[in-house]
Amino acid sequence: MGRDTMATDTAQSSTRTTHRDILPENALMHLGLFGAIALMAAPLVLAVLMSTQTTAEVYQPTTIGPGSNALQNYQAALTTYNFGTYLLNSLVMSIAVVIGKVTLSLLAALALVYYELPYERAIFMFVLLTLLLPVPVRIVPLFQLMADLGWTNTLLAITGPYIASATAVFLFRQHFRSIPDSLVETAHVDGVGPFRFLVSVLIPMSRSMIAGVCVITFIYSWNQFLWPLIAVTDKPSQVAQVGIRYIQGAAQAGLTQWGVIMAAAVLALLPPLAVLLVFHRSLRETIAIQQS
Amino acid sequence: MSTITLTDLTKHYDSIAAVDGIDLDVLDEEFLVVVGPSGCGKSTTLRLIAGLEDATAGTIRIGGTDVTDSPPEDRDIAMVFQNYALYPHMTAAENMTFGMQSVTDYSSAEIEDRVADAAATLGITELLDRTPDALSGGERQRVAIGRALVREPSVFLLDEPLSNLDAKLRVHMRAELSKLHRELDTTTVYVTHDQTEAMTLGDRVAVLNDGTVQQVAPPQQLYDFPANQFVAGFIGEPAMNLVPVRVRDRPRGLVADHEGFAHPLPDGGSNSALVDRRLTFGVRPEDVLLAGRSATGHEESFEARVTVREPLGEQLLLHCTIGDDELQVKVQPRRDVSTGDTIRLCFDQQRLHLFDPETGDAIYHAASEDQPAKPTPSQ
């Protein structure tokens, strides 16, 4: 009986779909969607294709398919141009920023939620105000500060300035506020201290939120270019995004080696992609919370 | 000894006084219910006792110790919240022990013992390994109460713990709570907006309105001798009938004179201060009787017209008009009365009240508070 109903349902829905597919307005919509996706995917597809081509093939507009130089390009990026080191540096930097940023933001959000602070709103607004001053705006005084501290060319220089994050504090605070007050109050009555509350209640209840913030933070720090370019002058300490730029600078016979650059770009794209694939569900939840 | 003493307790939010100078004594081992309409300050009062709010003025003593400025964890209290406040990612057992593991260094064997005891008392032993989302509302409520029990506090504070349950379960849990309190004898303050809970659970009931205490009394006394018009109207369903009358001195004694009736006030003769005053006359719907053919001894009957007839099943509620006023009357369910009828009514002589229309204070009860026959001035 159940199977019968299901079969009928499927039959009905398939006829409905075919009817709808024939409708011209739907066809237009699908065409539009396809166009939009093609437009968005184009740079990525081109990058992957170019990473397999020789420099000559790249400059030949008629070659659109995969080229003949894939292995050589990737090898060159990893060996001649030391791209492996840059990737490793980027990875260390991004992980350090993720850990530092998430820890600090969790503590800040905990303070805003667990305690009744006077002028809590004002403090929070002040934290949000720092969003108006992104890193590029602060770059000259920041460089001066790093130089004074002797941090240039160190991991500290490329992680320190990113660790305080208004965005992460905002996201965590909003999420913590969605947790019923009575949970915090129960903790107060039971004498559960703030750190125990954070570790045993807030973090387990915010797992996907935290994972989402980690993904956003990871991709954000992975893609940093300007500040590492300025703060790190020592080539072996440099990160991947600047590393790509180094390859571009090393032109051969006056021709930029686009094949190798694209190979490096594709390599640089893989870690964030992996992170996204693993945590995409959490990320979706994080963003959904912000929409509601 | 776990008494709670509130002295002139006040809480202002900006310029609004949520709690406005409350004096209240909760006796040791007492079950005190705080009841009132929304926004009367009852929950704020409980939160002040718990230490979740800071008092603007006044003092709070628990067991004789001034705890006004102590943090909640130093007050030796346990609180049960309306939404249960269970941690969703912990099992029932973890929820019950989480607080315990924080404050004092109980041995894990002791914790286990207490959880087992509390679970047995509440009948939730099989539920201990479940997380809250696998529990029904009533089961969650039991776990929340269990969490309070394992702490063995000197005071229980319950904030509308039954209002998220459906009606049937509420009645059941009400009885359970009552039984639990008899077993444990822990001083309990219970906040509710539901007068049935207040009447059935409380050793005494404190009625709050506008942030002030209106009356504190055992349930029946509250019902029989309301201290003012607010309490009279708030306790009892449907509410007490309140109609304006003028007290007149007649040869046979004082009479409450209304355009629809003139009813003697038993033993009112002693109270000459009432004479010629315009007062509010109060009588509960069940104390208005049908003066049928057999109604002997109710010679002071009067006529009223039935405008609405509401059969409640166990009783029949009639809305009647006398003059310009309405009177609600509860009568036997199968009485042959229909809308539009003119019926004869009379009052139960012992169940009449008079209130000052300006202050709302009760100034006369037909029955006496100690021996329900003689009138006394209200408290």
Side-chain angles (χ1 to χ4, degrees), chain B residues 31 33 162 174-175 177-178 190 196-203:
Chain B
F31 198 119
V33 177
L162 304 185
R174 210 165 67 200
L177 277 177
S178 192
Y190 183 107
T196 317
E197 279 172 30
M199 297 295 280
T200 50
L201 282 170
D203 293 327

Side-chain angles (χ1 to χ4, degrees), chain B residues 142-154:
Chain B
R142 280 164 205 265
V143 175
I145 294 169
R147 174 166 64 185
L149 285 188
V150 290
R151 300 256 324 276
E152 295 184 5
S154 53

Side-chain angles (χ1 to χ4, degrees), chain A residues 114 116 179-193 196-207, chain B residues 47 50 52-54 72-73 77-79 81 83-90 95 97-103 147 151:
Chain A
Y114 185 84
E116 266 182 42
I179 291 171
D181 286 344
S182 57
L183 288 191
V184 184
E185 288 170 350
T186 301
H188 280 300
V189 170
D190 287 352
V192 177
R196 204 167 122 78
F197 187 69
L198 177 70
V199 173
S200 303
V201 179
L202 286 182
I203 291 178
M205 284 184 71
S206 321
R207 265 196 206 119
Chain B
R47 295 168 59 80
L52 296 172
E53 305 280 347
D54 295 323
E73 69 260 32
I77 50 159
M79 188 155 170
F81 292 85
N83 61 3
Y84 321 134
L86 297 175
Y87 303 114
H89 59 290
M90 295 187 195
N95 262 295
T97 55
F98 182 64
M100 247 180 125
Q101 289 161 344
S102 307
V103 243
R147 174 166 64 185
R151 300 256 324 276

Side-chain angles (χ1 to χ4, degrees), chain B residues 211-226:
Chain B
T212 55
V213 175
Q214 305 294 312
Q215 187 174 8
V216 188
Q220 197 60 48
Q221 193 182 355
L222 205 65
Y223 190 80
D224 291 342
F225 305 98

Side-chain angles (χ1 to χ4, degrees), chain A residues 30-53:
Chain A
H30 279 98
L31 203 68
L33 288 173
F34 182 79
I37 288 170
L39 203 64
M40 281 191 282
L44 191 63
V45 174
L46 280 178
V48 173
L49 288 175
M50 284 163 88
S51 76
T52 65
Q53 297 170 343

Side-chain angles (χ1 to χ4, degrees), chain B residues 174-249:
Chain B
R174 210 165 67 200
E176 295 271 303
L177 277 177
S178 192
K179 208 172 84 191
L180 194 64
H181 180 253
R182 273 203 310 278
E183 280 172 33
L184 299 172
D185 275 338
T186 307
T187 311
T188 304
V189 182
Y190 183 107
V191 162
T192 181
H193 65 272
D194 181 320
Q195 48 155 313
T196 317
E197 279 172 30
M199 297 295 280
T200 50
L201 282 170
D203 293 327
R204 285 191 306 156
V205 178
V207 182
L208 257 62
N209 190 34
D210 290 339
T212 55
V213 175
Q214 305 294 312
Q215 187 174 8
V216 188
Q220 197 60 48
Q221 193 182 355
L222 205 65
Y223 190 80
D224 291 342
F225 305 98
N228 57 40
Q229 211 169 306
F230 176 80
V231 177
F234 187 76
I235 302 289
E237 176 64 40
M240 183 184 279
N241 293 300
L242 296 165
V243 293
V245 295
R246 191 178 194 113
V247 178
R248 297 193 191 280
D249 200 0

